[in-house]
């Protein structure tokens, strides 16, 4: 039976950004964290039967989230997860290779891309990472790493909401992710979390920095 | 014209070269600074740092053994790509060190780079790094320090390194050191190019510097070198009106408390500063209050009782009062009657004078008229003066001026020295020999013979015929003679007390002259 859980996503000015998450399970997990002026209540919506969770569009207009402290917080948590995975010796492996996005950034090349290309690159990478982390969550049996993996997955979902607040179009995933351009495969959990961290520090940040919505918001 | 054009072109060329040369020299200095920082901070080889968004510089120190740069190769590889080779250069530092340097102008960030250094085909250095985590930036420039309106505060601003997308990822350290030798303090600023320093000491010169580093969130790296210092002198402290008012209030309170203490303890302080001079006023009842210090008058009213009290004056010996009655007839023409003779050889003298009593009486009668007219006081004073001119030797055996009865030494010489003094005594002994009493005159010398001393009580005096003036003296012995106040010449000359004593002179005179008028008693 599907249940609607409404996590509270608070914007910069204290307004509440509503987002619903349709679940196929009866026990969602939530965790509250605080990042500067932005209070985020994350709700993990674990998938069932391999079906991904797509948050429903909020009926209320979203104010752009331009404070990079949110991303900084996610980056720190991703660093913690990578550090924890490095020291793991048992129960931490990938059952299969996963496709992950390229994280390299050539600033000259990046600046030569337009906003749509940049957005697509980030959205696709975000989707790939979500898939890979979900697979990792299933493969890892070490319970101490579950929390890190779960927070990483939740953070990726929050970032999708942030991108949505910036009027960045949503990504329609392909049927087969392996043939996507600008991707490569990893076979170890450590590599996967490194990719996750580098992606957030690089492309995700650059996209948020150059988002038109934030520049218009600062100028207004 | 062509010559002028060429000359101008040559000047511009020289100028550009000069400026460029200066820039190159400055760049070389900055590079050496960064090399020295990495040599100190980074343990791995090769040591690599990024200065901007696209570059990467790696180096290692040349080994001591002789080698050529061609023997080395620098290989780098990103993930899922093939290796690339970096051309190496040799760099000589001013310190004498030699480096092999690889510099890349095109780099990829947020992806792992694998580096391998080979020497003659053998790998000597191997390292994996992320370029975005090895930033070594140039120090901030245009450091500016300004005084603010608030005392002890300055506003510090600077220009950060120009790096796109990285401005909000930088953090800064500002160090301000007083020039008086104290340890400097450090303040940290995040993603801001200005800072307000507080609590700086007034009238102190500070040296201020700043350096920059990535904030370790998206980018990481090493602390840059310190910027060029800026010196600022803090203005002297202004007197805070609150402090001034508090100081005035506290001073006023302290003054009031001091005055209160002085007033409440003034008697104690007066005693300490001006100690009370003991006065014998309590021993002489009414002498100063009623008689104004007139001792004679006081004596007249008190009958000389105090004189007969040995405890008042003498602590060494008890004196026995002795009355010497002069039987000379009252004669205004009588000149100064002679003093009673001394007590030496009294017994013998008495006997001898008995025989010659008649002539003596005749001599006394001629003087009786003078005796009645002149005051007894004057007589006493004159006798005293005579005595002062011929002072008696200090001896306990010395008799009182008036009483010379009890001296034991019988010598003719002494009699010859004082013939006049013996006269009244002879007369006395002539008439009073049947009433003899013993008295111990003078000091307790022991030699004073009781045989030669005569004592007459007041009762005896009562039996005397009226008209005779008599003089009652107490044998003061030593104390009378040796007190400087007794000397008439010393009155007014001898400073007895350091503090003023208003009854001093009158008391001295009272000691010297006293007289009990017969008329008072009869």
């Amino acid at each position: 039976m599907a249940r609607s859980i409404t996590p509270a996503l608070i914007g910069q000015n204290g307004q509440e950004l509503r987002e619903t998450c349709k679940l196929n399970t009866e026990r969602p997990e939530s965790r509250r964290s605080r990042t500067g002026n932005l209070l985020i209540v994350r709700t993990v919506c674990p998938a069932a039967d391999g079906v991904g969770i797509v948050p429903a569009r909020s009926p209320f207009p979203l104010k752009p989230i331009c404070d990079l402290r949110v991303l900084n917080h996610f980056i720190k948590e991703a660093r913690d997860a990578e550090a924890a995975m490095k020291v793991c010796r048992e129960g931490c492996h990938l059952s299969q290779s996963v496709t992950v996005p390229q994280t390299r950034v050539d600033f000259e090349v990046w600046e030569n891309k337009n906003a749509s290309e940049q957005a697509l690159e980030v959205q696709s990478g975000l989707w790939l990472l979500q898939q890979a982390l979900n697979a990792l969550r299933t493969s890892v049996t070490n319970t101490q790493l579950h929390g890190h993996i779960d927070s990483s997955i939740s953070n990726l979902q929050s970032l999708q909401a942030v991108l949505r607040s910036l009027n960045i179009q949503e990504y329609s995933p392909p049927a087969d992710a392996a043939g996507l351009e600008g991707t490569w495969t990893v076979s170890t959990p450590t590599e996967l979390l490194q990719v996750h961290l580098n992606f957030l520090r690089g492309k995700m940040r650059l996209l948020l920095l150059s988002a038109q919505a934030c520049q218009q918001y600062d100028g207004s | 014209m062509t010559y002028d054009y060429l000359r101008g072109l040559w000047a511009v060329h020289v100028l550009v070269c000069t400026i460029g040369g200066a820039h190159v020299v400055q760049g070389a200095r900055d590079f050496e600074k960064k090399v020295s920082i990495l040599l100190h901070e980074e343990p791995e080889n090769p040591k690599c740092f990024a200065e901007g968004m696209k570059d990467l510089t790696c180096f290692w120190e040349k080994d001591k053994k002789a080698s050529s740069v061609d023997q080395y190769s620098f290989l780098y590889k990103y993930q899922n790509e093939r290796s690339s080779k970096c051309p190496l250069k040799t760099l000589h530092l001013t310190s004498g060190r030699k480096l092999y340097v690889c510099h890349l102008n095109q780099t990829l960030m947020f992806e792992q780079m694998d580096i391998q250094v080979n020497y003659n085909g053998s790998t000597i250095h191997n390292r994996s790094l992320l370029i975005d985590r090895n930033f070594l930036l140039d120090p901030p420039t245009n450091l500016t320090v300004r005084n603010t309106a608030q005392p002890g505060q300055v506003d510090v601003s600077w220009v950060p390194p120009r790096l796109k997308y990285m401005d909000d990822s930088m953090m800064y350290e500002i160090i301000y050191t007083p020039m008086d030798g104290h340890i400097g303090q450090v303040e940290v600023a995040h993603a801001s190019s200005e800072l307000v320093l507080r609590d700086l000491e007034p009238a102190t010169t500070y040296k201020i510097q700043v350096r920059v580093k990535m904030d370790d969130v998206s980018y990481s790296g090493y602390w840059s070198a310190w910027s060029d210092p800026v010196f600022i002198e803090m203005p002297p402290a202004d007197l805070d009106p609150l402090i001034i008012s508090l100081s005035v209030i506290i001073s006023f309170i302290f003054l009031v408390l001091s005055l209160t203490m002085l007033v409440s303890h003034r008697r104690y302080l007066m005693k300490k500063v001006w100690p009370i001079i003991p006065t014998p006023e309590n021993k002489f009842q009414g002498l100063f209050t009623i008689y104004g210090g007139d001792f004679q008058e006081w004596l007249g009213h008190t009958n000389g009782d105090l004189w007969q009290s040995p405890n008042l004056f003498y602590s060494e010996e008890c004196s026995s009062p002795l009355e010497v009655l002069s039987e000379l007839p009252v004669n205004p023409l009588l000149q100064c009657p002679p003093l009673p003779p001394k007590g030496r050889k009294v017994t013998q003298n008495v006997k001898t004078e008995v025989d010659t009593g008649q002539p003596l009486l005749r001599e006394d009668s001629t003087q009786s008229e003078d005796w009645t007219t002149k005051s007894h006081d004057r007589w006493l004073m004159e006798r005293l003066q005579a005595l002062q001119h011929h002072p008696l030797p200090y001896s306990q055996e010395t008799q009182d001026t008036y009483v010379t009865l009890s001296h034991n030494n019988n010598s003719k010489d002494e009699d010859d020295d004082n013939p006049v003094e013996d006269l009244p005594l002879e007369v006395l002994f002539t008439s009073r020999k049947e009433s003899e009493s013993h008295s111990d005159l003078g000091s307790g010398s022991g030699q004073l013979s009781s045989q030669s001393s005569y004592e007459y009580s007041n009762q005896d005096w009562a039996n005397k015929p009226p008209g005779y003036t008599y003089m009652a003296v107490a044998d003061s012995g030593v104390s009378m003679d040796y007190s400087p106040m007794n000397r008439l010449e010393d009155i007014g000359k001898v400073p007895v007390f350091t503090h003023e004593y208003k009854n001093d002179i009158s008391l001295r005179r009272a000691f010297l002259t006293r007289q009990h008028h017969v008329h008072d008693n009869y």
Side-chain angles (χ1 to χ4, degrees), chain B residues 330-383:
Chain B
V330 179
N331 190 347
L333 299 180
L334 185 65
Q335 298 297 326
C336 302
L339 287 172
K342 292 193 175 181
R344 293 169 299 182
K345 304 177 187 176
V346 170
T347 52
Q348 296 179 2
N349 292 336
V350 169
K351 292 178 182 176
T352 56
E353 288 298 332
V354 169
D355 298 335
T356 59
Q358 198 66 24
L360 292 175
L361 281 174
R362 282 200 294 275
E363 292 178 9
D364 290 338
S365 63
T366 58
Q367 299 175 356
S368 62
E369 293 179 355
D370 295 333
W371 176 256
T372 55
T373 56
K374 296 205 173 178
S375 63
H376 214 59
D377 293 339
R378 188 193 302 174
W379 178 84
L380 290 173
M381 298 294 287
E382 289 175 349
R383 299 317 303 166

Side-chain angles (χ1 to χ4, degrees), chain B residues 288-481:
Chain B
F288 301 106
T289 56
I290 300 175
Y291 302 99
D294 191 341
F295 195 72
Q296 281 186 330
E297 192 175 348
W298 178 79
L299 277 178
H301 286 81
T302 56
N303 294 325
D305 292 339
L306 295 175
W307 281 101
Q308 299 181 8
S309 172
N311 296 329
L312 181 62
F313 300 106
Y314 317 120
S315 58
E316 299 173 350
E317 55 190 307
C318 296
S319 62
S320 56
L322 178 67
E323 292 181 356
V324 177
L325 179 63
S326 173
E327 290 187 348
L328 292 174
V330 179
N331 190 347
L333 299 180
L334 185 65
Q335 298 297 326
C336 302
L339 287 172
K342 292 193 175 181
R344 293 169 299 182
K345 304 177 187 176
V346 170
T347 52
Q348 296 179 2
N349 292 336
V350 169
K351 292 178 182 176
T352 56
E353 288 298 332
V354 169
D355 298 335
T356 59
Q358 198 66 24
L360 292 175
L361 281 174
R362 282 200 294 275
E363 292 178 9
D364 290 338
S365 63
T366 58
Q367 299 175 356
S368 62
E369 293 179 355
D370 295 333
W371 176 256
T372 55
T373 56
K374 296 205 173 178
S375 63
H376 214 59
D377 293 339
R378 188 193 302 174
W379 178 84
L380 290 173
M381 298 294 287
E382 289 175 349
R383 299 317 303 166
L384 280 173
Q385 282 179 351
L387 190 63
Q388 295 297 335
H389 290 302
H390 302 283
L392 300 174
Y394 183 84
S395 170
Q396 285 189 346
E397 300 179 359
T398 305
Q399 303 300 316
D400 180 77
T401 302
Y402 310 113
V403 180
T404 57
L405 296 177
S406 59
H407 204 281
N408 229 3
N409 297 329
N410 301 324
S411 64
K412 294 182 181 180
D413 295 335
E414 293 178 14
D415 287 338
D416 295 336
D417 292 337
N418 300 295
V420 179
E421 295 175 350
D422 293 340
L423 185 60
L425 184 61
E426 292 170 355
V427 173
L428 176 64
F429 283 118
T430 302
S431 59
R432 297 289 181 188
K433 70 174 182 179
E434 65 271 15
S435 58
E436 296 179 356
S437 63
H438 300 277
S439 69
D440 193 9
L441 300 179
S443 62
S445 62
Q447 294 185 2
L448 297 175
S449 173
S450 59
Q451 300 174 0
S452 59
S453 61
Y454 291 87
E455 181 180 1
Y456 296 90
S457 61
N458 288 330
Q459 295 175 353
D460 294 334
W461 288 42
N463 297 327
K464 295 173 187 170
Y468 292 104
T469 60
Y470 66 93
M471 181 174 62
V473 296
D475 185 3
S476 58
V478 175
S479 63
M480 284 295 291
D481 289 335

Side-chain angles (χ1 to χ4, degrees), chain A residues 68 72 75-76 79 102-108 111 184 194 197-198 201-202 205-206 209, chain B residues 53-54 78-81 106 108-112 130 132-133 164-165 168-169 216-219:
Chain A
L68 290 180
N72 291 341
I75 291 172
K76 290 176 183 176
R79 189 187 303 160
Q102 287 278 1
T103 58
R104 62 178 61 177
V105 172
D106 189 329
F107 286 100
E108 285 187 359
E111 287 176 346
W184 60 298
Q194 284 179 353
L197 176 60
N198 292 334
R201 293 193 303 116
R205 183 183 180 87
L206 288 172
L209 276 174
Chain B
M53 299 164 57
K54 304 175 187 178
Y78 293 103
Q79 282 180 325
N80 302 323
E81 288 192 3
Q106 197 75 29
L108 299 175
M109 294 200 178
F110 306 106
E111 188 157 290
Q112 184 173 307
L130 287 161
D132 49 274
R133 291 193 172 275
K164 199 174 180 181
Y165 308 118
D168 59 343
S169 298
D216 295 333
V217 178
S218 289
Y219 306 97

Side-chain angles (χ1 to χ4, degrees), chain A residues 188-207:
Chain A
T188 63
T190 302
E191 287 180 314
L192 173 56
L193 292 180
Q194 284 179 353
V195 170
H196 170 240
L197 176 60
N198 292 334
F199 182 82
L200 296 180
R201 293 193 303 116
K203 292 183 178 179
M204 177 62 72
R205 183 183 180 87
L206 288 172
L207 184 64

Side-chain angles (χ1 to χ4, degrees), chain B residues 116-355:
Chain B
Q116 186 175 345
V117 178
N118 298 325
Y119 175 69
N120 291 333
S122 300
T123 302
I124 59 171
H125 300 303
N126 195 350
R127 186 185 174 186
S128 295
L129 56 86
L130 287 161
I131 297 173
D132 49 274
R133 291 193 172 275
N134 288 273
F135 275 96
L136 181 53
L137 304 172
D138 292 329
T141 58
N142 287 7
L143 181 61
T144 306
V145 182
R146 293 183 301 270
N147 284 314
T148 62
Q150 296 291 333
Q153 289 186 8
V154 294
D155 183 63
V156 183
S157 62
W158 56 89
V159 176
R162 296 288 184 187
L163 290 177
K164 199 174 180 181
Y165 308 118
M166 301 177 189
D167 294 342
D168 59 343
S169 298
M170 296 181 188
M171 60 184 294
Y172 306 90
E173 261 191 3
I174 299 93
I175 185 170
Y176 51 104
T177 308
M179 300 305 292
D180 56 1
H182 285 87
I183 298 174
Q185 294 182 331
V186 174
E187 294 289 338
V188 178
H190 289 271
S192 175
S193 60
E194 64 177 340
L195 183 72
V196 176
L197 300 178
R198 304 176 198 277
D199 299 328
L200 273 63
E201 295 294 328
T204 304
T205 302
Y206 284 88
K207 184 178 83 168
I208 301 175
Q209 292 177 292
V210 62
R211 63 179 182 178
V212 63
K213 188 173 88 71
M214 293 299 186
D215 63 0
D216 295 333
V217 178
S218 289
Y219 306 97
S220 300
Y222 310 93
W223 279 109
S224 71
W226 289 104
S227 65
D228 293 333
V230 172
F231 299 90
I232 185 168
E233 184 175 358
M234 300 301 295
D238 294 332
L239 289 176
D240 192 357
L242 179 63
I243 294 175
I244 294 173
S245 60
L246 285 176
S247 301
V248 170
I249 291 171
I250 291 171
S251 301
F252 178 74
I253 292 172
F254 181 74
L255 185 64
V256 169
L257 288 175
S258 300
L259 287 174
T260 305
M261 278 189 60
L262 284 173
V263 170
S264 62
H265 296 84
R266 66 179 183 281
R267 292 187 180 179
Y268 173 77
L269 292 173
M270 291 293 287
K271 283 183 183 177
K272 288 295 181 183
V273 176
W274 293 291
I276 297 174
I277 300 170
T279 66
E281 186 175 349
N282 57 345
K283 302 295 183 183
F284 299 89
Q285 300 295 332
L287 171 61
F288 301 106
T289 56
I290 300 175
Y291 302 99
D294 191 341
F295 195 72
Q296 281 186 330
E297 192 175 348
W298 178 79
L299 277 178
H301 286 81
T302 56
N303 294 325
D305 292 339
L306 295 175
W307 281 101
Q308 299 181 8
S309 172
N311 296 329
L312 181 62
F313 300 106
Y314 317 120
S315 58
E316 299 173 350
E317 55 190 307
C318 296
S319 62
S320 56
L322 178 67
E323 292 181 356
V324 177
L325 179 63
S326 173
E327 290 187 348
L328 292 174
V330 179
N331 190 347
L333 299 180
L334 185 65
Q335 298 297 326
C336 302
L339 287 172
K342 292 193 175 181
R344 293 169 299 182
K345 304 177 187 176
V346 170
T347 52
Q348 296 179 2
N349 292 336
V350 169
K351 292 178 182 176
T352 56
E353 288 298 332
V354 169
D355 298 335

